[in-house]
Amino acid sequence: MPLSVKDYTWEETDSLLWITIPLKGVNAKKVDIFSSEEYLKVNYPPYFFECLLAAPVEDCRGCAQIGDGVIIFKLIKKCPGFWKNLHSSDSNNKEVMKNKRDEALLKYQKRLEDEANEKNDIKREHGKTAVNEMLKIEQLERDRIAKIKDEERKKATEALEKWKEEQRSLAEKEKEKLLAENKSKTQHSKRKKPGSIFESEPKGKSGIVRESGNITVKHTPRVFPTPTRESQAEQEETWLKKQAEARNAIQLSLDNDLSEKEKNPQWLLDKGNSYFSSGDFQSAINAYTCAIHLAPKLPTLYSNRGACHLKLNNLFKCIEDCSKALDLMYPPVQQNASSRARALVRRGTAFCMLEMYIEGLKDYEAALLIDPKNEAIQSDAQRIRKVIQASEPV
């Protein structure tokens, strides 16, 4: 049975109260203290101290010190004044004491719950604040990245539009030059029209009527043996003329300081193809560039160099080389169909990598017109259409 401690002491002032309870040799770690505004209990087996205070105190502001074999309570009175007695007049009533003890326990549990709820509220508020700050930081970062992308896209678009304008200007000049050459040829080859049927027959100086005769006409055999209904004679002749000019430029561009191999564009083309197959794209570009200096009108050199630039992500250079190759492969004939399709696919791929999907789709569709049964081109074109549809606003 617990032993009630009776040899305690207490002192008071108008606003403070001190209670000193002896530990009686018990270890301080075994002391259990419970207090409320009107109830105070100390349990340290086999001893215990219980007190129903004469008046309420500020429970949250009071304190207890354990040391030197005693427990000293410092309590602050709610209402200033002298008590004269530490215990309440109801301390001897067991029923009242039990009710006060239960009431103090309920208040203590309620206070613990309120403190826990308050801590949880503070923790949630801090969590919300941290999440909001993180969202703000992430939004600022997204805005910064979007701004950089927009600026880069704007620069790329402006550069591409400038390049397109230059290409259009060059194409117009080339077209005007070709028209002027064709007009000049037409004027030189123009024959006199026959006179009216009412005119008299032409006579020589002697006045004798000239005798009629037969003229034998021989046609030059065509290089491209296509049927008349499919004839593209004018385009084919223009293509042959460009090929002849390219071959003549090879002879005019030879440098005596170069070796025999280095003077041969075909050898440089094969060398570049070998570098490309081994994955050395920069060396392949160097080989194709040397060949272009010797033969600037061979479209294969530009198309292959464009493929190397595509591998190295030099997208604008790839577009430029492929466009030059397509210009040199004009007029379009069956003999350069596969080369035109490859150049269009390479240029279309470069456009798509620049996120210019509409221009890229146009090149893929042009390649499909040349090679409509190519499943790879069909699949790529379909993927580009899906990207364009996904990016369009609903």
Side-chain angles (χ1 to χ4, degrees):
M1 182 177 180
L3 301 176
S4 178
V5 177
K6 302 296 184 180
D7 53 344
Y8 62 88
T9 60
W10 71 286
E11 298 178 6
E12 68 172 334
T13 65
D14 183 51
S15 59
L16 297 175
L17 176 69
W18 288 273
I19 303 175
T20 303
I21 302 172
L23 287 177
K24 299 181 181 292
V26 177
N27 192 336
K29 293 181 180 179
K30 297 182 179 181
V31 177
D32 182 22
I33 298 174
F34 176 76
S35 66
S36 67
E37 293 181 352
E38 298 179 272
Y39 180 76
L40 180 65
K41 179 181 178 181
V42 181
N43 184 27
Y44 51 109
Y47 304 99
F48 84 99
F49 170 79
E50 187 177 36
C51 176
L52 184 63
L53 299 175
V57 296
E58 298 284 352
D59 184 44
C60 295
R61 297 174 60 190
C63 64
Q65 292 181 348
I66 304 176
D68 297 330
V70 294
I71 305 172
I72 300 176
F73 288 93
K74 180 183 178 181
L75 305 176
I76 300 173
K77 298 177 180 179
K78 268 193 173 184
C79 299
F82 291 93
W83 292 0
K84 297 183 180 179
N85 291 317
L86 178 63
H87 292 273
S88 172
S89 58
D90 296 326
S91 296
N92 296 325
N93 189 330
K94 293 183 178 180
E95 186 67 25
V96 173
M97 180 66 76
K98 182 177 181 301
N99 292 336
K100 290 291 183 179
R101 186 187 303 119
D102 294 340
E103 182 182 347
L105 184 61
L106 290 175
K107 287 183 178 180
Y108 179 71
Q109 292 176 348
K110 180 67 168 58
R111 188 179 70 185
L112 291 179
E113 290 178 1
D114 292 341
E115 290 177 354
N117 291 334
E118 184 178 358
K119 288 181 180 179
N120 290 333
D121 292 341
I122 293 173
K123 186 176 180 181
R124 279 196 297 271
E125 191 65 29
H126 288 171
K128 289 181 181 180
T129 304
V131 170
N132 290 334
E133 290 298 323
M134 185 62 68
L135 290 175
K136 288 180 181 179
I137 293 172
E138 291 178 354
Q139 186 61 42
L140 290 174
E141 184 65 16
R142 285 195 293 269
D143 293 342
R144 186 183 69 83
I145 294 173
K147 184 178 179 181
I148 293 174
K149 284 186 176 180
D150 290 339
E151 291 176 354
E152 292 297 327
R153 189 179 293 109
K154 184 178 179 181
K155 290 179 182 178
T157 304
E158 291 175 354
L160 184 61
E161 290 298 327
K162 183 179 179 181
W163 175 82
K164 283 183 177 180
E165 188 62 31
E166 292 175 354
Q167 293 300 314
R168 280 194 290 268
S169 178
L170 291 174
E172 289 294 330
K173 291 180 181 179
E174 186 68 20
K175 183 177 178 181
E176 292 176 0
K177 183 179 178 181
L178 290 175
L179 290 175
E181 290 178 357
N182 291 335
K183 184 177 180 181
S184 177
K185 289 180 181 179
T186 304
Q187 290 177 351
H188 283 295
S189 61
K190 197 173 184 182
R191 297 178 179 177
K192 289 184 177 181
K193 294 182 179 180
S196 173
I197 58 174
F198 298 106
E199 292 180 359
S200 60
E201 293 183 352
K203 299 180 179 181
K205 291 182 180 180
S206 60
I208 300 173
V209 178
R210 298 174 182 173
E211 296 180 359
S212 61
N214 296 325
I215 300 174
T216 302
V217 178
K218 294 182 179 181
H219 296 280
T220 303
R222 297 183 60 212
V223 177
F224 303 110
T226 55
T228 304
R229 65 180 178 277
E230 300 176 3
S231 175
Q232 295 179 333
E234 184 177 354
Q235 292 89 337
E236 291 169 357
E237 291 299 328
T238 304
W239 170 250
L240 290 174
K241 180 181 176 182
K242 286 189 174 183
Q243 296 302 302
E245 289 177 354
R247 287 191 292 272
N248 292 334
I250 294 174
Q251 298 298 327
L252 295 174
S253 301
L254 294 178
D255 189 343
N256 293 329
D257 294 334
L258 300 176
S259 65
E260 289 301 322
K261 287 184 178 180
E262 292 171 340
K263 293 177 182 179
N264 188 349
Q266 184 60 45
W267 181 84
L268 291 170
L269 174 61
D270 295 339
K271 195 69 175 176
N273 294 343
S274 176
Y275 283 131
F276 184 88
S277 299
S278 64
D280 190 355
F281 304 118
Q282 188 57 55
S283 296
I285 289 174
N286 295 338
Y288 294 139
T289 302
C290 290
I292 287 171
H293 287 310
L294 296 172
K297 293 190 178 182
L298 284 182
T300 304
L301 299 174
Y302 293 95
S303 180
N304 289 8
R305 191 172 70 173
C308 296
H309 283 308
L310 183 62
K311 291 287 187 181
L312 295 175
N313 283 332
N314 300 330
L315 304 179
F316 287 108
K317 291 184 178 180
C318 172
I319 293 171
E320 184 177 357
D321 276 349
C322 292
S323 299
K324 181 65 176 178
L326 290 169
D327 290 341
L328 291 174
M329 285 187 282
Y330 182 85
V333 292
Q334 187 61 35
Q335 283 69 21
N336 60 21
S338 60
S339 298
R340 284 187 285 115
R342 283 195 297 272
L344 286 167
V345 169
R346 288 166 184 167
R347 189 173 70 176
T349 302
F351 276 129
C352 291
M353 291 176 70
L354 287 169
E355 298 185 6
M356 303 178 67
Y357 298 108
I358 295 177
E359 289 79 358
L361 181 60
K362 289 180 181 178
D363 281 345
Y364 269 89
E365 289 177 342
L368 282 175
L369 292 177
I370 299 172
D371 189 5
K373 296 182 180 180
N374 192 312
E375 295 180 358
I377 300 177
Q378 290 176 359
S379 177
D380 291 342
Q382 186 62 28
R383 282 200 296 269
I384 298 171
R385 291 189 189 97
K386 289 181 180 179
V387 172
I388 294 174
Q389 291 172 359
S391 61
E392 289 179 352
V394 179

